[in-house]
Amino acid sequence: MSYMSSLSVEDLDNVVLTTRQLNSTTSPIPSFRDEDTLDSPDSRRKYDVFLSFRGEDTRSSFTSHLYFTLQTSGIIVFKDDHSLQRGDPIPTSLLRGIEDSRISVIVFSKNYANSKWCMNELVKIMECQRTIGHRVLPVFYNVDPSEIRCQTGEFGKSFQNLLNRIVPEDELMAVKWRDALREAGGLAGFLVLNFRFFILRSYLHFK
């Protein structure tokens, strides 16, 4: 597995650019006059991007900046506190939001795997990647991709905290969580270290 050399950026342009490129490789949203393509899967998707993140880690920092930058670039984003209607059952609405989006941007952070909702989102995201061509772009926020793949380091401890709380009927789901982490941790994406200084590495050439 080889990586590109690191590069500095002034803002989140590289993440946004990659998202736009991924979005452009999917079928464009058709005009309502284009009756031949109205029934295509992409024509029924309401969002360009689904943002998956752990609120306590990144909601008021990286994720809020990413959301704003994507929105101002004309990208329609599903973010739980902006896209859910009052009274929606949150887990169902989040899972539906994934299906209704072309791309998922997963912001992996130290406590991401300590959330059952986040882990169920991840399983759904990876399922949609396999079954409906959903695109996935991981962002590794102050965690190394190997920690996600192998559930080690502080990320692994966070995941173990979740496993310690599950009930017996969740044990099968825990296997799916591990599989999804291994799969997502091996995808090309971005490593963000020390966001205050906007240091970004791109992981675009995995072998």
Side-chain angles (χ1 to χ4, degrees):
M1 185 179 296
S2 61
Y3 306 127
M4 290 182 65
S5 59
S6 62
L7 62 154
S8 298
V9 294
E10 296 298 326
D11 51 24
L12 297 161
D13 284 349
N14 280 348
V15 177
V16 174
L17 176 61
T18 302
T19 303
R20 291 178 68 89
Q21 290 172 338
L22 285 173
N23 196 39
S24 68
T25 62
T26 64
S27 302
I29 297 176
S31 163
F32 286 113
R33 297 177 181 177
D34 191 353
E35 297 179 357
D36 292 337
T37 58
L38 280 177
D39 290 330
S40 69
D42 275 328
S43 72
R44 296 191 296 270
R45 293 177 189 169
K46 297 188 291 186
Y47 307 99
D48 295 317
V49 172
F50 179 92
L51 274 180
S52 179
F53 63 97
R54 185 68 195 273
E56 69 179 62
D57 287 346
T58 67
R59 185 189 301 277
S60 299
S61 55
F62 178 81
T63 297
S64 63
H65 288 283
L66 176 59
Y67 174 78
F68 176 78
T69 307
L70 289 169
Q71 286 282 88
T72 56
S73 299
I75 295 171
I76 303 171
V77 183
F78 184 106
K79 180 171 175 280
D80 62 358
D81 53 353
H82 286 82
S83 303
L84 292 180
Q85 299 299 312
R86 182 173 298 179
D88 275 359
I90 292 180
T92 300
S93 297
L94 290 176
L95 297 179
R96 187 170 63 245
I98 295 167
E99 294 176 346
D100 286 343
S101 302
R102 295 179 174 188
I103 303 165
S104 282
V105 175
I106 309 168
V107 183
F108 285 114
S109 58
K110 183 178 71 172
N111 292 302
Y112 182 94
N114 195 23
S115 165
K116 186 176 180 180
W117 282 357
C118 285
M119 293 308 303
N120 287 341
E121 282 179 21
L122 180 63
V123 168
K124 182 65 173 180
I125 288 168
M126 302 314 295
E127 174 189 314
C128 287
Q129 183 197 44
R130 294 190 298 271
T131 59
I132 62 174
H134 189 76
R135 301 300 184 98
V136 181
L137 179 64
V139 176
F140 304 99
Y141 181 82
N142 289 334
V143 293
D144 190 87
S146 65
E147 294 181 53
I148 282 74
R149 291 195 304 274
C150 304
Q151 298 95 60
T152 56
E154 292 300 313
F155 185 90
K157 292 178 183 177
S158 176
F159 183 52
Q160 187 60 50
N161 286 337
L162 173 61
L163 295 179
N164 291 341
R165 301 195 308 271
I166 64 173
V167 293
E169 51 265 33
D170 283 337
E171 290 180 359
L172 179 59
M173 199 65 196
V175 175
K176 295 183 178 181
W177 293 340
R178 288 190 183 277
D179 289 343
L181 287 169
R182 281 194 290 267
E183 191 174 357
L187 295 176
F190 291 92
L191 175 62
V192 178
L193 299 175
N194 196 354
F195 177 65
R196 178 166 39 172
F197 297 101
F198 298 105
I199 299 174
L200 191 67
R201 287 185 180 179
S202 60
Y203 284 71
L204 300 178
H205 293 292
F206 281 59
K207 291 186 178 180

